Amino acid sequence: MITGGTSGIGAAVAQQLALRGAQLILLTQQPQSDPFLVDYIEDIRTATNNELIHAEQVDLSSLHSIRVFATKWVDNAPPRRLDMVVLCANTMTPRFGRADLTQDNIESNWGINYLANFHLLGILSPALRAQPPDRDVRIIMGTCSSYIGGEIHALKDTRSPLPPGKQYGSSKLALMTFAQAYQKHLDAYQRPDKQANNARVVLVDPGLTRTPGMRRWLSMGSLWGLLLYLITWPIWWLTLKSPEMGAQSFLYAAMEADLGRGAGGKFIKECRERGFLKKEIRDEHVAKTLWELSDKQIEALEKEGAVRRAREEKDGKGDEEKGASEDLKEKGESQAPKSNGAKLLRTPNLYVTCPTLLQNSDIADPELLVAPAGTRTTAQADQYTKGSLSRDQLSPSPFTQFHTWFTHARDSGVSLPESVCFSTASLPSGKVSSRYVYLKELDEKGFVIYSNWEHSRKAADVKSNPYASLAFWWKDVERQVRVEGRVERLSDKESQVYYDLRARGSRIGAWASRQSQVLEEDAGGREILEGWVREVEERFEGKEKIPVPAFWGGLRVVPEMVEFWQGRESRLHDRFRYLRDEKEGHEWKIERLSP
């Protein structure tokens, strides 16, 4: 996993690793569909004869973008392989230039050079620690000799906490201090297999190199400066390294066997281990203060960003509905569907006719009655036109078929394709309850979710009735999958594996919450829940290893029926059902169903 892998030293590192057969994931600001990025990746694949080069959009100037990517990466069981994280991306404000701001409105040197890396590695920590013990996991952070002039003793909780005139060097000093603290964080983790920590941080100073960032700094971000840079180009060609030369220390940090043994947190310059010239880097008090400040800022900025995005979404919907209402007004009532004498319900988004219901009802506000419609100008629902499904497209196994469809949905941009409606029913009443959960695992036995199995409504249901169903809906590809079958609990040992991957707050929450129990507002409501959380935090204070609660864990739905549904025009959908054939040694029988 590489940041900054499309230019300068990062591009040289990416190319050299690809030449050696590495599978690379480039974290880029541009979306995967960006023409430049598509051509760039294709060029690397061709030049290195390596097809295992991919890109993921991660905008380091946005904490939300980082969280979206990293949580998706971590939220995977079994853990995805991750042997190395190489952090090459950085920014620098020219000497006479104006400091840029990130999307979170913080100074860019602080936000991109330091806070983005802190946030990314903080979320990826469970994935790094969960790698098998036989792997040599490395986190390589790029730094610069300018850290010597940096200062981080008096950082303030502001949008520009770094001292004026020293922003770049101070951001690198902060990153190096965090690197030492992060190594201690990794070392403190007690692996379930009792093996030693196998993840090591390595700091790399590539030296003075002819990169786009160096050119911008030398030219002072001005056209006159760029002209002067071009005139003096022979000097810089002689005195500065090429990106390929600058990449050598990164490659040494990535492949030198000795760095995979012993303590982590080493500093590499000119392919040699060097000592630190600033004592703050190993100062635990400075590191703790920096870590706490970073956590506090990220929490505040993430909340601020969430409010801003919600407001923008609301404003966007408001403008959309206003435009739709104006369109309808311009078109006139003659454009609306004829009601044949029935009373017509009108909302900004749809028309609905209810011939008798409203005439015979006591409903005070008839506009509460709505029915779905596909567009704002017709009561006809949308047509499904994105695909078809035939028998010869199906795998003999529903598990393989689901994996194929799930991968397609994820790669097609479906939001949270792992979201699934989990339905249970209690006996003897037969009352059904449903809720959305995340699918966490799929194996040869069935579909696995995780939850509280003592206090919740679904826990009571499955105790009386060991059958449940799952329903996936992937709108962007016009597909759904239904699963019906018996349920079975995973062992504590199996549940512990996934539980260890969760963020610490989520593990604390699993212990604290009496899921679905009533919290009386008169008695404190939310405060009661927060009190439970504090009790659990005190119980596990200072402990990285938290055991999975006996009442919490995985539940596997062992399917007896799996249906794959592909939307088609005129509601003539393609439906195929897999039924387990007990007579044929648990083979699957496939049937086409009428839509």
Side-chain angles (χ1 to χ4, degrees):
M1 188 182 294
I2 303 179
T3 67
T6 56
S7 67
I9 294 174
V13 172
Q15 180 141 0
Q16 290 299 314
L17 290 176
L19 278 170
R20 291 162 172 80
Q23 179 179 356
L24 302 183
I25 299 177
L26 306 180
L27 307 188
T28 67
Q29 185 178 15
Q30 300 84 7
Q32 292 95 323
S33 59
D34 182 82
F36 162 78
L37 184 59
V38 172
D39 290 343
Y40 177 75
I41 291 179
E42 192 59 37
D43 289 345
I44 294 183
R45 289 174 175 174
T46 303
T48 62
N49 195 29
N50 184 348
E51 294 296 318
L52 302 177
I53 317 295
H54 306 280
E56 292 280 355
Q57 185 178 15
V58 182
D59 188 349
L60 296 180
S61 70
S62 167
L63 295 175
H64 175 67
S65 176
I66 295 170
R67 176 175 293 279
V68 169
F69 163 76
T71 50
K72 283 186 177 180
W73 184 279
V74 171
D75 205 9
N76 193 79
R80 298 176 67 178
R81 179 166 185 168
L82 183 57
D83 295 327
M84 191 177 302
V85 179
V86 184
L87 303 176
C88 293
N90 77 102
T91 187
M92 177 190 292
T93 303
R95 278 172 288 182
F96 302 109
R98 179 183 299 177
D100 296 326
L101 296 178
T102 69
Q103 291 190 29
D104 299 292
N105 294 318
I106 56 175
E107 195 272 324
S108 59
N109 285 279
W110 171 255
I112 295 175
N113 297 348
Y114 169 69
L115 205 60
N117 295 319
F118 177 91
H119 195 35
L120 177 65
L121 292 177
I123 300 175
L124 288 179
S125 174
L128 292 166
R129 296 181 303 186
Q131 298 302 308
D134 59 335
R135 292 183 188 164
D136 179 4
V137 181
R138 302 189 188 186
I139 303 96
I140 302 173
M141 303 185 190
T143 184
C144 173
S145 57
S146 61
Y147 82 91
I148 299 171
E151 294 181 9
I152 57 172
H153 278 294
L155 297 180
K156 298 180 180 179
D157 187 10
T158 66
R159 296 186 182 274
S160 183
L162 301 174
K166 299 181 178 180
Q167 288 97 334
Y168 181 75
S170 298
S171 71
K172 291 300 181 182
L173 178 59
L175 181 67
M176 296 174 75
T177 304
F178 162 65
Q180 299 302 307
Y182 192 70
Q183 183 64 63
K184 293 178 181 178
H185 164 76
L186 295 172
D187 291 339
Y189 176 64
Q190 296 183 2
R191 297 175 58 96
D193 53 21
K194 307 301 181 183
Q195 298 291 323
N197 168 55
N198 61 334
R200 293 171 178 83
V201 176
V202 184
L203 288 159
V204 173
D205 179 358
L208 301 177
T209 309
R210 297 190 302 272
T211 64
M214 175 62 78
R215 181 174 64 242
R216 184 165 180 253
W217 186 77
L218 289 173
S219 65
M220 295 173 285
S222 68
L223 291 176
W224 286 109
L226 180 60
L227 178 61
L228 181 62
Y229 175 81
L230 293 174
I231 294 173
T232 57
W233 164 249
I235 298 176
W236 307 124
W237 190 87
L238 289 172
T239 57
L240 300 180
K241 298 178 182 179
S242 68
E244 291 73 19
M245 295 171 65
Q248 297 308 305
S249 290
F250 277 94
L251 297 173
Y252 178 85
M255 294 182 286
E256 172 56 40
D258 287 343
L259 295 178
R261 295 186 286 266
K266 296 177 180 178
F267 178 38
I268 302 299
K269 184 174 182 179
E270 305 297 342
C271 296
R272 296 180 182 178
E273 184 178 348
R274 303 295 178 91
F276 299 113
L277 299 181
K278 297 283 283 189
K279 62 181 181 179
E280 296 99 311
I281 295 175
R282 295 192 183 277
D283 189 317
E284 291 189 4
H285 175 71
V286 173
K288 181 180 179 181
T289 303
L290 178 65
W291 193 299
E292 292 174 348
L293 171 65
S294 306
D295 268 338
K296 182 179 178 181
Q297 279 207 338
I298 287 174
E299 181 179 0
L301 291 168
E302 286 266 55
K303 289 180 179 178
E304 179 182 296
V307 172
R308 182 176 63 252
R309 288 189 299 275
R311 186 181 298 116
E312 291 172 352
E313 182 178 354
K314 182 179 179 180
D315 292 345
K317 287 183 177 179
D319 294 340
E320 187 177 341
E321 291 179 356
K322 181 179 179 181
S325 181
E326 291 175 353
D327 289 344
L328 290 173
K329 186 176 181 179
E330 291 175 3
K331 292 180 180 180
E333 297 294 334
S334 61
Q335 296 285 331
K338 295 181 179 180
S339 62
N340 296 324
K343 190 169 182 179
L344 184 67
L345 293 181
R346 181 178 179 183
T347 73
N349 289 329
L350 45 93
Y351 288 97
V352 185
T353 56
C354 301
T356 58
L357 178 59
L358 294 183
Q359 297 172 5
N360 300 322
S361 71
D362 296 325
I363 295 175
D365 184 3
E367 291 195 0
L368 290 177
L369 289 176
V370 296
T375 68
R376 298 181 179 88
T377 58
T378 176
Q380 296 177 354
D382 293 338
Q383 293 294 317
Y384 295 120
T385 60
K386 293 185 177 180
S388 61
L389 184 63
S390 59
R391 177 64 179 80
D392 58 5
Q393 293 175 306
L394 297 173
S395 168
S397 166
F399 303 119
T400 305
Q401 184 63 36
F402 180 86
H403 183 268
T404 300
W405 271 28
F406 182 89
T407 302
H408 175 71
R410 182 189 61 197
D411 295 345
S412 298
V414 173
S415 177
L416 298 175
E418 64 272 27
S419 297
V420 56
C421 181
F422 177 59
S423 298
T424 55
S426 63
L427 293 179
S429 69
K431 292 182 178 179
V432 178
S433 63
S434 299
R435 75 287 295 158
Y436 272 90
V437 297
Y438 285 149
L439 176 72
K440 291 300 182 182
E441 299 171 31
L442 172 67
D443 57 25
E444 70 282 358
K445 296 180 181 178
F447 302 76
V448 178
I449 64 173
Y450 287 84
S451 187
N452 182 308
W453 301 108
E454 181 173 319
H455 308 106
S456 65
R457 166 69 183 274
K458 55 185 173 292
D461 286 352
V462 299
K463 286 178 182 178
S464 66
N465 178 16
Y467 287 90
S469 70
L470 301 168
F472 298 85
W473 167 236
W474 299 320
K475 178 179 182 295
D476 293 344
V477 292
E478 298 174 349
R479 287 174 171 176
Q480 62 176 307
V481 180
R482 293 196 311 111
V483 180
E484 297 175 0
R486 292 182 62 90
V487 297
E488 61 181 29
R489 282 287 304 273
L490 270 62
S491 67
D492 289 346
K493 183 177 180 181
E494 291 174 301
S495 297
Q496 185 74 54
V497 174
Y498 167 71
Y499 187 74
D500 288 340
L501 298 176
R502 307 184 91 208
R504 182 179 179 85
S506 298
R507 286 179 281 158
I508 294 292
W511 272 101
S513 177
R514 282 72 158 168
Q515 193 176 102
S516 298
Q517 288 191 6
V518 176
L519 295 174
E520 296 289 352
E521 287 296 334
D522 294 342
R526 179 77 186 184
E527 288 75 12
I528 297 175
L529 175 61
E530 292 173 350
W532 293 341
V533 171
R534 285 193 295 271
E535 291 175 3
V536 177
E537 287 177 338
E538 292 174 0
R539 176 180 175 184
F540 294 110
E541 184 177 3
K543 297 179 180 179
E544 181 60 33
K545 179 68 174 181
I546 301 176
V548 62
F551 54 80
W552 193 96
L555 186 84
R556 178 184 288 112
V557 179
V558 182
E560 297 178 354
M561 189 284 299
V562 184
E563 179 187 336
F564 293 87
W565 181 99
Q566 173 68 62
R568 296 292 299 274
E569 286 189 277
S570 303
R571 295 297 179 268
L572 299 176
H573 314 303
D574 289 326
R575 299 175 60 194
F576 285 91
R577 177 175 65 186
Y578 288 74
L579 288 175
R580 192 181 293 275
D581 193 342
E582 300 291 346
K583 297 180 180 179
E584 297 296 331
H586 299 287
E587 294 296 326
W588 292 92
K589 179 173 63 174
I590 304 177
E591 302 171 328
R592 178 184 277 272
L593 303 179
S594 177

